[in-house]
Amino acid sequence: MIMKRPNIILISIDTLRADHLSCYGYERITTPHIDRLAGEGVLFTNAYSTAVWTPPAHASMLTGLYPNAHGVIHQNRLGDDFPTVAEILQRSGYQTAGFVNNSQVGELVGLSRGHDDFYEIWRGLSKEQIVKRAIYNARRFAGYTDHGASETNKLIFHWLTKKWKRGKPFYMFIHHIDAHNPLKAPRPFRFKYLTESLRKQVDMAKIWKIADNPLVCFTDDLELNEAEIEAVTCLYDEEINYVDCKIGELVDYLAHMKLLDHSLLIVTADHGEHLGEHNLYSHVASLYEPIVHIPLILRYPRELASEAASDQPVQHIDLLPTILEVGGSDEGYKLNGAGRNLFECLNGEEASRILFAEWEGRIPYFVRNKLQGVRNHPLVERFRNQLWMARWGSFKLIADSKGHFELYNLDEDPQEQVNLYGKASTIFDQLRNALEDWRNSGASPVTSRSYDYEDETLRKHLKALGYL
Ligand SMILES: [Zn+2]
């Protein structure tokens, strides 16, 4: 009997660090709906990003390649030679749709390719939608609007009822931005965790400034005390709790349409966020755990057990081969990426695998604009310093372009405080050599510059996210 090919739903929640989900052991119950999905599927405890900001990490997710192979770094677009998972599935008969809330995951960087329908929700309402705009503005004034998660669900539900041709399996890519700054969850989620008594202990004008764009901690030399860090953390957790609620709505809708159990559902994040660890904020110039350790949950009752957890080391590059396996396409194996099929990982012994990640040495636009061309500023040097990570078992090596090394044993030192460089030479040599080989394996892909700042809507959007 030929099994009908399943639907595939890939959800990426921008800027969601693993340790702030309750199913990853966080003390607040931030993610009850994602927790439920994890309880009905497999939760990967050792899932890692390949890069620490949106375009390269998503390009890895959608092409199965590391950034040094796909080339979507700085402001580069994905080259035409690299097929996306949507393109491959489309070729093999899937109906494909994308719903994204960040220009950095869309047409601008070439990641819209292969979708029959692609919704760049960040563009907002058009000038013609006068009534809708008036309602939106009134809700915004009252503090009830979000950063797109609600509209995303509406569009998905509409697509499923009006556009999806039921004879075909579908692939859906969903991207949420709510946990990314600006951190301002809609009511009643706002102040769910940031209590009145904590608000009274801190300077809320300073907290809102950081919640709006944490890069001000670098440009304005802001230091945060414990209460201030806790306040910003509360605002971050409120956004997570909100987006989790929206995922709950989507899952309920899929169940109502009797689609949930016939689908492979994947929930992950592109990267995490620093909340004061190592005196760092935002997601730049770091490969520490708060940034690279991401959530990854697979729900697929047809083949996966429920209430399962796996400590196999896995990465974004594994998603494409996994999705193509489930989707019945063998193209994934011809692409020569380093990714592995997660179903095989779950059944095999993979403990010897080394994971890699990089910070490409980019000065965030916001920082560059604030510096207004001041050369030799320490921040320029700081952000231009490239970083590379190799992680094997509990050991993690971070190397930079100035020749510095940090080596940590995460089992004994999860906060990455004790640098073992010079004290564990066998492990160090092994990881440094592996890192060299990996860096030399880069394909120098052909890419092109993508940004056109003349687009006013794009400029507004990039500014709202703190890019400009
Ligand atoms: Zn991102």
Side-chain angles (χ1 to χ4, degrees):
M1 191 181 89
I2 297 169
M3 291 266 274
K4 204 178 150 199
R5 290 190 293 171
N7 304 309
I8 298 166
I9 302 160
L10 170 60
I11 302 176
S12 169
I13 303 168
D14 213 296
T15 321
L16 179 61
R17 51 189 274 179
D19 64 348
H20 278 241
L21 281 80
S22 27
C23 50
Y24 278 81
Y26 195 44
E27 65 267 22
R28 282 194 182 112
I29 308 297
T30 45
T31 51
H33 298 98
I34 297 174
D35 297 354
R36 195 178 81 208
L37 293 175
E40 294 164 356
V42 180
L43 178 144
F44 288 87
T45 56
N46 280 317
Y48 279 77
S49 179
T50 57
V52 295
W53 74 299
T54 310
H58 278 99
S60 286
M61 236 184 253
L62 303 178
T63 65
L65 299 169
Y66 280 116
N68 63 6
H70 63 57
V72 184
I73 55 172
H74 298 284
Q75 299 171 13
N76 292 334
R77 270 174 82 81
L78 182 69
D80 291 340
D81 294 345
F82 301 100
T84 64
V85 65
E87 283 178 293
I88 300 170
L89 288 174
Q90 192 182 46
R91 276 201 286 273
S92 76
Y94 269 77
Q95 191 175 344
T96 57
F99 304 83
V100 305
N101 283 284
N102 189 343
S103 57
Q104 314 278 316
V105 197
E107 201 276 327
L108 189 72
V109 286
L111 296 178
S112 57
R113 280 190 348 225
H115 297 88
D116 296 316
D117 299 292
F118 197 77
Y119 301 86
E120 305 234 13
I121 301 154
W122 59 272
R123 286 197 171 274
L125 297 163
S126 68
K127 282 177 185 158
E128 290 74 41
Q129 294 170 298
I130 299 162
V131 177
K132 265 189 158 184
R133 278 168 74 90
I135 295 168
Y136 175 85
N137 287 336
R139 286 179 59 79
R140 184 176 175 185
F141 184 73
Y144 285 98
T145 55
D146 61 11
H147 306 301
S150 192
E151 185 64 19
T152 304
N153 274 359
K154 272 190 213 161
L155 287 167
I156 293 169
F157 301 164
H158 181 264
W159 189 87
L160 283 169
T161 49
K162 303 286 184 198
K163 294 212 162 185
W164 174 44
K165 301 173 187 86
R166 283 168 182 259
K168 276 186 163 192
F170 67 78
Y171 161 77
M172 208 181 257
F173 171 56
I174 302 166
H175 166 269
H176 286 295
I177 194 75
D178 294 69
H180 188 291
N181 61 283
L183 301 175
K184 210 171 204 178
R187 296 171 203 281
F189 295 82
R190 190 179 303 173
F191 299 146
K192 181 172 177 178
Y193 303 131
L194 182 47
T195 58
E196 200 178 346
S197 76
L198 184 52
R199 294 203 296 276
K200 282 181 180 162
Q201 287 174 50
V202 295
D203 171 3
M204 279 305 291
K206 181 178 174 187
I207 298 302
W208 285 129
K209 193 175 171 185
I210 294 158
D212 196 42
N213 185 356
L215 287 171
V216 295
C217 293
F218 298 102
T219 56
D220 299 13
D221 278 329
L222 295 183
E223 299 246 337
L224 274 69
N225 63 32
E226 222 171 280
E228 289 168 337
I229 290 174
E230 176 56 18
V232 174
T233 302
C234 287
L235 294 175
Y236 176 62
D237 290 345
E238 286 164 8
E239 290 280 23
I240 295 172
N241 189 229
Y242 173 69
V243 78
D244 174 79
C245 173
K246 290 291 147 186
I247 286 172
E249 274 180 24
L250 171 65
V251 170
D252 287 348
Y253 190 81
L254 292 169
H256 168 73
M257 287 190 79
K258 303 210 177 339
L259 293 171
L260 186 62
D261 289 343
H262 303 289
S263 303
L264 164 65
L265 183 64
I266 301 171
V267 178
T268 189
D270 54 350
H271 52 76
E273 181 82 337
H274 265 299
L275 295 163
E277 304 84 2
H278 300 265
N279 210 19
L280 293 170
Y281 298 89
S282 189
H283 42 275
V284 287
S286 159
L287 292 173
Y288 293 122
E289 291 294 281
I291 304 271
V292 290
H293 185 207
I294 46 150
L296 178 62
I297 291 155
L298 262 61
R299 184 191 188 279
Y300 188 44
R302 192 189 278 183
E303 284 190 32
L304 293 177
S306 61
E307 288 186 67
S310 168
D311 62 0
Q312 293 283 1
V314 297
Q315 291 206 272
H316 283 146
I317 53 169
D318 304 332
L319 293 180
L320 179 132
T322 305
I323 288 172
L324 296 188
E325 167 79 17
V326 168
S329 165
D330 62 359
E331 270 195 66
Y333 298 103
K334 296 177 197 154
L335 297 173
N336 209 17
R340 299 186 180 178
N341 173 356
L342 292 172
F343 290 90
E344 282 172 12
C345 281
L346 284 169
N347 298 325
E349 288 175 23
E350 291 278 348
S352 66
R353 182 183 188 186
I354 299 177
L355 304 180
F356 300 100
E358 69 169 57
W359 163 254
E360 66 207 54
R362 169 186 73 89
I363 307 170
Y365 314 112
F366 173 80
V367 174
R368 198 164 51 192
N369 290 346
K370 272 251 182 182
L371 299 181
Q372 294 183 329
V374 180
R375 289 183 181 191
N376 304 323
H377 192 284
L379 281 180
V380 172
E381 206 167 304
R382 173 174 201 153
F383 290 115
R384 278 219 174 119
N385 190 24
Q386 288 173 277
L387 303 170
W388 302 277
M389 176 198 91
R391 184 184 183 275
W392 176 75
S394 66
F395 288 97
K396 174 171 165 181
L397 177 70
I398 301 171
D400 74 7
S401 48
K402 291 179 182 165
H404 300 135
F405 295 100
E406 294 171 59
L407 179 66
Y408 299 106
N409 182 346
L410 296 175
D411 279 353
E412 292 169 4
D413 177 25
Q415 310 295 324
E416 300 163 279
Q417 298 293 319
V418 183
N419 187 357
L420 300 175
Y421 174 55
K423 292 177 193 150
S425 53
T426 312
I427 290 285
F428 170 76
D429 289 344
Q430 211 176 330
L431 287 179
R432 189 183 57 178
N433 292 340
L435 201 49
E436 280 301 307
D437 290 347
W438 173 71
R439 286 183 55 202
N440 292 332
S441 70
S444 302
V446 178
T447 54
S448 59
R449 290 268 155 163
S450 68
Y451 297 169
D452 170 12
Y453 288 106
E454 284 166 27
D455 180 337
E456 190 50 39
T457 312
L458 173 63
R459 281 189 66 84
K460 245 168 104 179
H461 164 71
L462 292 173
K463 206 162 187 179
L465 293 179
Y467 283 96
L468 293 181

